[in-house]
Amino acid sequence: MGSEEEIQLTGRAGQRGRAEEGCRQDNLRAGAPPTHTLQHTQELQNILAEYWGTGTAAAFNMDGVSTAILLLLLAVISLSLTFTSWGKGQLPPGPKPLPILGNLLQLRSQDLLTSLTKLSKKYGSVYTVYLGPRRVVVLSGYQTVKEALVDKGEEFSGRGSYPVFFNFTKGNGIAFSNGERWKVLRRFSVQILRNFGMGKRSIEERILEEGSFLLEVLRKTEGKPFDPVFILSRSVSNIICSVIFGSRFDYDDERLLTIIRFINDNFQIMSSPWGEMYNIFPSLLDWLPGPHRRMFRNFGGMKELIARSVREHQDSLDPDSPRDFIDCFLTKMAQENKDPLSHFHMDTLLMTTHNLLFGGTETVGTTMRHAFLILMKYPKVQARVQEEIDRVVGRSRMPCLEDRANMPYTDAVIHEVQRFADVIPMNLPHQVIRDTPFRGFLIPKGTDVITLLNTVHYDSKQFKTPQEFNPEHFLDANQSFKKSPAFMPFSAGRRLCLGEPLARMELFIYLTSILQNFTLHPLVEPEDIDLTPLSSGLGNLPRPFQLCVRVR
Ligand code: HEM
């Protein structure tokens, strides 16, 4: 079990040189301003039409005066952003940007992940791209990403700009804060989660209990088709809810259902072109209609729900006997209420709680859905996992964490699901916190950095058949479990997902208990199951599906 600070990576030979195939040598000087000018409003409209469909683009077709004002406004915002991010340094090469649009022309027509991966083939494993006015250094491939996140972990530990979250959290949670605030909130949260059993036996018992409720729900489907989204999310979310709010919710409790609906909807919007475009042009999208507006309503609803629970906690707080994460945070707030520099106040409580709920719900639920699809597509893999469960655990008790060491095949399958599904394909954005020499370049302080975890998980130097689902990637010649340093679904280094121990426990116990009791059956032929994601943005979303579970 990886602990919070445990970094799975070990050095590897075979560095991927920065002068990769076709790498252009026309390095941009640091902060060199875009040199082209926008020719015509039509160009912007075409791009809008491409991303959002003609309806929205038509909405942008306003009269000349307002268009000119809007473009002027955008130019000012764009230039101010570009100028503020200027710094000294020798930036990696990359495509030439246009003012305002940056490299949008090179990125359009496909999702951002595919476009960025394509550019890395042309410009190498370290390149610079402008997402609208924002300058970003993109890193790809295991060796490069590992050198940044692990070998230069401190320098790359900043959180990069992520407007869809930042506009809501205002830098107050763990996930989207920086500097001292991030360090303090992260240390505190890890400590409290550990006190409430994360990575220990006590949380394992909660997962086992919640797992048995989930099995009950699955049994009630009586072999009929169902959509797994809410059934899985409710159960997974209840684990982190019980740590945050002190107890689990019944599955039909309106609070739990509201949390799931908001989080699920937002994860979908953030994984769509709308989420991506909001991150590139937040000021523009704030003016336009679209699903991104629902995202902020959902955020507001979540905040209100958490705030209500905090008020209830305040009314019954006993500092000597904290019941949950919120009690611990409130107690810390009371201890530091005279300190004007304290990071413990209502906003950080609400946003940190939100980060934990968001992180602890949709990621695991999405991974489970990918796992279901994969196991149905490859029934022989499913059968072999079941055979191992029967042999090691039997049918008379639920699987527990201790069993994992004796179940190398199952362990390998779960790792391979996480590699193949690649749930957070572009990681959350990082930022260099000081001028950072990197692979012959100098990345100026404050530059955002995207680490394409997708290119790590699909790195052919690290995995024999990266495009295939192949549990052998995590098995040695003796069929014992084999770690891979390029397994990074939780990222690596200082910002490593702080829920990793919890998530790994959940995935193991849930999947093994389900397969111990049921066989998963698709409604279509296995070969017709499409494993390619429905959309890729913040998350790689699996295609919607129904399945039947039959008691074994
Ligand atoms: C399969 C499940 C999960 C996956 C794939 C996952 C993945 C990730 C990734 C890729 C990051 C970004 C790391 C970086 O910036 O380098 C992250 C951060 C984070 N995750 Fe998870 N996560 C999972 C489960 C969880 C759970 C269960 C929790 C809650 C307990 C959680 C809470 C967080 C938080 C709070 C952060 C922000 C850390 C920081 O900025 O310091 N995650 N996660």
Side-chain angles (χ1 to χ4, degrees):
M1 171 61 49
S3 71
E4 189 254 327
E5 301 303 347
E6 181 183 316
I7 295 164
Q8 297 178 1
L9 303 168
T10 52
R12 273 226 167 171
Q15 279 199 0
R16 200 169 167 201
R18 70 177 142 77
E20 294 217 3
E21 27 164 338
C23 174
R24 279 175 45 175
Q25 294 309 304
D26 55 342
N27 295 4
L28 286 170
R29 295 286 309 164
T35 48
H36 299 201
T37 48
L38 184 67
Q39 297 298 319
H40 203 276
T41 320
Q42 187 61 42
E43 194 165 2
L44 192 54
Q45 266 183 261
N46 291 343
I47 290 161
L48 288 170
E50 179 133 5
Y51 271 100
W52 303 318
T54 43
T56 315
F60 196 73
N61 190 6
M62 49 190 82
D63 65 80
V65 176
S66 36
T67 304
I69 292 172
L70 185 58
L71 285 177
L72 189 68
L73 195 73
L74 279 169
V76 171
I77 295 167
S78 156
L79 285 176
S80 71
L81 285 174
T82 307
F83 276 112
T84 50
S85 61
W86 278 10
K88 54 186 186 300
Q90 178 71 39
L91 279 168
K96 283 212 161 56
L98 292 170
I100 303 173
L101 296 178
N103 294 116
L104 214 60
L105 298 182
Q106 285 91 345
L107 300 173
R108 68 182 167 161
S109 84
Q110 282 158 325
D111 60 279
L112 190 60
L113 172 63
T114 314
S115 306
L116 291 181
T117 310
K118 241 180 168 177
L119 284 175
S120 73
K121 300 221 161 58
K122 185 165 183 194
Y123 294 100
S125 65
V126 187
Y127 68 89
T128 307
V129 72
Y130 286 77
L131 301 181
R134 181 161 65 107
R135 188 181 60 202
V136 177
V137 168
V138 180
L139 307 183
S140 54
Y142 162 72
Q143 192 61 40
T144 306
V145 170
K146 175 247 180 200
E147 275 175 37
L149 295 184
V150 180
D151 301 347
K152 290 192 180 252
E154 173 71 10
E155 288 87 338
F156 283 85
S157 68
R159 176 61 74 220
S161 154
Y162 206 73
V164 286
F165 276 111
F166 192 84
N167 287 6
F168 170 61
T169 67
K170 307 273 187 275
N172 281 317
I174 319 166
F176 300 95
S177 54
N178 267 313
E180 197 53 23
R181 170 164 297 174
W182 165 65
K183 282 189 185 148
V184 168
L185 290 176
R186 181 168 171 124
R187 208 179 306 126
F188 176 82
S189 302
V190 168
Q191 187 58 50
I192 301 304
L193 291 177
R194 277 204 191 123
N195 293 351
F196 283 102
M198 188 172 77
K200 296 191 209 156
R201 240 204 137 73
S202 48
I203 202 89
E204 184 181 354
E205 277 157 22
R206 280 185 209 223
I207 300 171
L208 285 167
E209 188 200 10
E210 200 57 56
S212 59
F213 287 119
L214 174 64
L215 294 179
E216 211 36 57
V217 172
L218 293 178
R219 216 162 268 130
K220 283 191 186 145
T221 63
E222 296 176 333
K224 296 196 190 84
F226 67 95
D227 179 334
V229 173
F230 277 88
I231 289 180
L232 291 175
S233 297
R234 274 186 325 194
S235 185
V236 168
S237 189
N238 238 347
I239 313 247
I240 190 70
C241 281
S242 70
V243 175
I244 289 173
F245 300 114
S247 60
R248 69 179 292 279
F249 295 110
D250 286 338
Y251 283 156
D252 50 7
D253 190 307
E254 204 39 54
R255 285 166 298 179
L256 179 64
L257 296 177
T258 308
I259 289 172
I260 310 256
R261 265 188 233 117
F262 284 153
I263 291 181
N264 186 274
D265 196 30
N266 274 9
F267 197 65
Q268 298 218 15
I269 301 170
M270 287 175 194
S271 302
S272 73
W274 282 94
E276 284 167 18
M277 285 310 292
Y278 192 89
N279 280 329
I280 298 173
F281 293 120
S283 324
L284 171 62
L285 276 250
D286 277 339
W287 288 59
L288 293 176
H292 58 294
R293 290 184 176 259
R294 197 169 72 241
M295 195 163 61
F296 294 109
R297 280 200 300 277
N298 291 344
F299 273 143
M302 276 287 281
K303 187 173 173 185
E304 182 44 39
L305 191 143
I306 299 168
R308 214 179 316 139
S309 174
V310 167
R311 286 195 290 274
E312 285 161 16
H313 277 71
Q314 281 171 318
D315 292 342
S316 54
L317 179 68
D318 173 2
D320 297 325
S321 164
R323 297 158 291 189
D324 50 36
F325 185 84
I326 292 181
D327 271 1
C328 294
F329 207 105
L330 286 171
T331 306
K332 187 80 175 166
M333 275 166 63
Q335 284 164 0
E336 298 200 357
N337 73 347
K338 298 250 153 50
D339 178 0
L341 298 178
S342 171
H343 295 294
F344 294 91
H345 44 75
M346 192 49 78
D347 281 337
T348 49
L349 167 56
L350 296 180
M351 292 309 151
T352 299
T353 307
H354 176 268
N355 288 170
L356 293 173
L357 280 175
F358 198 96
T361 298
E362 207 44 41
T363 48
V364 181
T366 304
T367 308
M368 295 275 295
R369 271 159 34 228
H370 279 289
F372 277 15
L373 276 176
I374 290 169
L375 291 167
M376 291 191 296
K377 187 166 180 81
Y378 302 108
K380 284 188 185 149
V381 173
Q382 181 173 185
R384 197 168 153 194
V385 172
Q386 286 174 323
E387 182 278 316
E388 192 173 61
I389 296 170
D390 289 350
R391 186 162 35 81
V392 177
V393 185
R395 301 274 184 105
S396 56
R397 66 169 176 87
M398 278 181 85
C400 63
L401 223 53
E402 249 180 61
D403 295 320
R404 186 159 59 188
N406 301 317
M407 299 172 68
Y409 187 73
T410 306
D411 206 5
V413 167
I414 295 174
H415 278 74
E416 180 65 355
V417 163
Q418 286 204 267
R419 179 198 74 81
F420 188 79
D422 188 37
V423 165
I424 312 286
M426 292 183 276
N427 205 350
L428 295 181
H430 282 238
Q431 194 174 83
V432 285
I433 61 167
R434 60 179 80 105
D435 289 351
T436 302
F438 189 70
R439 292 197 151 213
F441 303 108
L442 186 62
I443 307 177
K445 175 181 173 178
T447 302
D448 283 359
V449 179
I450 290 181
T451 49
L452 295 175
L453 295 181
N454 175 271
T455 63
V456 177
H457 290 140
Y458 283 77
D459 187 334
S460 57
K461 294 198 186 96
Q462 299 298 318
F463 299 102
K464 219 160 132 199
T465 53
Q467 301 301 328
E468 285 169 26
F469 176 80
N470 178 6
E472 297 292 324
H473 287 143
F474 294 94
L475 290 167
D476 67 13
N478 301 320
Q479 295 293 291
S480 298
F481 178 76
K482 177 183 77 179
K483 271 188 176 183
S484 163
F487 176 77
M488 286 192 196
F490 301 100
S491 185
R494 305 287 164 99
R495 286 270 178 178
L496 174 75
C497 169
L498 65 74
E500 177 187 358
L502 178 61
R504 296 192 57 214
M505 269 191 185
E506 289 175 5
L507 289 174
F508 179 78
I509 292 179
Y510 275 44
L511 284 170
T512 51
S513 329
I514 291 170
L515 292 179
Q516 180 189 41
N517 287 276
F518 305 98
T519 301
L520 316 174
H521 291 276
L523 304 191
V524 296
E525 290 304 315
E527 52 277 15
D528 293 334
I529 295 176
D530 186 353
L531 297 180
T532 58
L534 175 71
S535 61
S536 294
L538 169 63
N540 258 335
L541 295 186
R543 288 167 192 280
F545 65 98
Q546 293 206 339
L547 78 161
C548 302
V549 294
R550 305 226 172 95
V551 179
R552 294 179 63 212

